[in-house]
Amino acid sequence: MELINLVPCLPWAKWFPGPGDQDWHAVLCQVLKESQKCTRRKSLPKLRIMDFLTSTAILPLLFGCVGICSLLKLLQRMRTRAYLRNAVVVITGATSGLGRECARVFYAAGTKLVLCGRNREALEELTRELTAAQVTKVQTHKPYMVTFDLADSGAIGAAATEILQCCGCVDVLINNAGVSYRGSVVDTTMDVDKRVMEINYFGPVALTKALLPSMIKRQQGHIVAISSIQGKISIPFRSAYAASKHATQAFFDCLRAEMEQYDIEVTVISPGYIHTNLSLNALTADGSKYGVMDKTTAQGRRPMEVARDVLAAVGKKKKDVILADLLPSLAIYLRTLAPGLFFSLMASRARKEQKSKSS
């Protein structure tokens, strides 16, 4: 170690040779001794911290924290299973996409499913698939099927009556059915706007209202709305879809507040992109099918993963759940904290999409 590097460790009087010093060798020895003392003093806190961390007292504390966390998770899983086991769960739009995967995970959880959809054959196929599955952890129940179209307001009341007659009650209603949309505001006909709102908003609201009195009478029930990240932010060329999801968010937020006195839970789940056929079946400005698998949709999360998150959210009785990646989640806060920047970004996105469509 060079002498010059040790100088800062010592006061000036201690390293500069005085009249009584024999030679520089003695000075150097003194410098080294003082430097070692300084080093020991500096490293002493670190050594004490390491001694504390490796002492016999801290290890049991760490293991205890891990054990408590594991116990809490186990208790939560047991609570979720107890909450859903043998519960009557109604799922709309159960024949495809997220609804189909929700049917699988809720069936495996031991619920009494009521599968709803427009296609009777698809419902029967799903029922056969579920009953053929090997589920050994819990007792399973053969699903019941109710065929109706959410866009047909006259059929919803009859469907609700059929559900209550066959099951006696509804413990969990999952409003999952919906339709997407692609198109510009200026080109979209009012018929398309109305149809999207009918399926995504008025249909679920009507079914909820039809089943709500029985829940209030029992003072028990759980209503779930599968919304979208676009129920919180809006992106270009999705006007009808975003409007329907914003309305869904608002309605079920109001419902949650009003139903608290009856001990009825309300959960709104807002997924991001999911790898389903939603964009293929989306309506366009003139009402025809879009028929294109968007890149964002193709890169979305697997429906089974989202379905498991839905099951967990229902079991934990969560109020509002966002199931999206980091950027869409940040966009929600950007819309609130820096709206000007958010609007500029959306305008830029609209110009890029319009340019790509024109080229």
Side-chain angles (χ1 to χ4, degrees), residues 202-311:
F202 288 111
V205 167
L207 182 60
T208 298
K209 288 187 174 184
L211 296 174
L212 201 56
S214 64
M215 292 184 177
I216 293 176
K217 184 178 180 180
R218 299 170 60 225
Q219 293 201 352
Q220 181 181 339
H222 195 150
I223 299 170
V224 182
I226 304 297
S227 182
S228 168
I229 198 73
Q230 294 184 53
K232 296 180 179 292
I233 58 174
S234 301
I235 62 177
F237 305 106
R238 308 288 194 279
S239 59
Y241 182 75
S244 67
K245 293 303 182 180
H246 271 69
T248 297
Q249 179 78 52
F251 175 85
F252 286 98
D253 281 351
C254 292
L255 181 66
R256 182 188 302 110
E258 296 179 19
M259 291 299 106
E260 185 177 359
Q261 61 182 316
Y262 303 111
D263 293 327
I264 295 174
E265 302 289 337
V266 177
T267 301
V268 178
I269 299 177
S270 302
Y273 292 110
I274 309 174
H275 191 170
T276 66
N277 293 331
L278 190 67
S279 66
L280 290 173
N281 298 322
L283 297 178
T284 60
D286 61 1
S288 60
K289 280 191 176 183
Y290 184 57
V292 177
M293 175 65 76
D294 289 335
K295 182 180 179 180
T296 51
T297 303
Q299 295 175 346
R301 295 183 63 192
R302 293 171 54 239
M304 177 58 75
E305 295 176 359
V306 181
R308 293 194 186 104
D309 289 339
V310 172
L311 178 72

